[in-house]
Amino acid sequence: MNSVNTAQPHTVPVKTLTDERGHLGIVEAMADAGFLFRRLYFLYGTTGEARGHHAHKALRQYMLAIHGAFTVTLKGRGQTFTFRLESPTQALIIPPGYWRELEDFTVDAVCLVAASAEYDEADYIRDYNEFLQWEQTHA
Ligand code: TYD
């Protein structure tokens, strides 16, 4: 098995039980994401506009396309990662300290995010140059 640097963004499989009634997806916070969830939020009805354009200083996120598909680009530590989330059987783990952009949503896309903390505007960096400066001292 390939080892995954868990400090980097990476995808993980979502445990899925399938029988004649359909699919049952299961997420256990510690076992599957590696952190506890304190907030859920979801995006839907996206209009074609990109979202994101910010980084989080401490927040951890577990993200999946419950329905439809979208692309997540993550920048940090001199690297750029691009993930196309297009199945509820695969989730993306986003560690703290990555600038993110979400785009190319299909019209039916539903993005579910489980986050490690409640909403806190002070945890956001919304200016890319400020993010690059913050990285110099924190990442
Ligand atoms: P934001 O995180 O900036 O999302 P996006 O980059 O996709 O637009 O959130 C958009 C707005 O919603 C912003 O004003 C903050 C607010 N918000 C909350 O009040 N609570 C939350 O849990 C989230 C995710 C956003």
Side-chain angles (χ1 to χ4, degrees):
M1 198 170 83
N2 292 332
S3 67
V4 173
N5 180 351
T6 53
Q8 290 188 340
H10 62 282
T11 58
V12 291
V14 177
K15 185 176 178 186
T16 304
L17 301 180
T18 299
D19 62 23
E20 65 282 0
R21 299 168 296 175
H23 307 293
L24 171 62
I26 303 165
V27 183
E28 294 192 349
M30 286 310 297
D32 297 318
F35 57 90
L36 291 177
F37 305 146
R38 301 192 71 155
R39 174 169 51 120
L40 296 178
Y41 66 89
F42 38 95
L43 304 171
Y44 60 100
T46 44
T47 59
E49 288 276 320
R51 304 200 61 133
H53 306 102
H54 62 255
H56 286 283
K57 298 172 189 171
L59 191 72
R60 297 175 182 277
Q61 292 172 307
Y62 177 98
M63 178 181 287
L64 78 162
I66 287 287
H67 197 260
F70 54 90
T71 299
V72 184
T73 302
L74 299 165
K75 295 180 184 169
R77 298 170 177 83
Q79 286 186 279
T80 299
F81 301 85
T82 302
F83 300 93
R84 182 75 178 162
L85 298 186
E86 56 191 359
S87 164
T89 63
Q90 186 192 44
L92 174 63
I93 293 183
I94 308 177
Y98 282 90
W99 185 265
R100 83 279 320 276
E101 294 170 13
L102 281 68
E103 58 199 344
D104 295 333
F105 290 89
T106 58
V107 289
D108 57 350
V110 181
C111 167
L112 176 68
V113 181
S116 62
E118 291 84 358
Y119 172 74
D120 176 10
E121 185 60 34
D123 189 64
Y124 281 75
I125 305 171
R126 293 191 180 273
D127 178 86
Y128 189 65
N129 287 326
E130 196 182 312
F131 167 66
L132 293 177
Q133 283 177 1
W134 176 87
E135 261 201 318
Q136 301 292 319
T137 45
H138 295 84

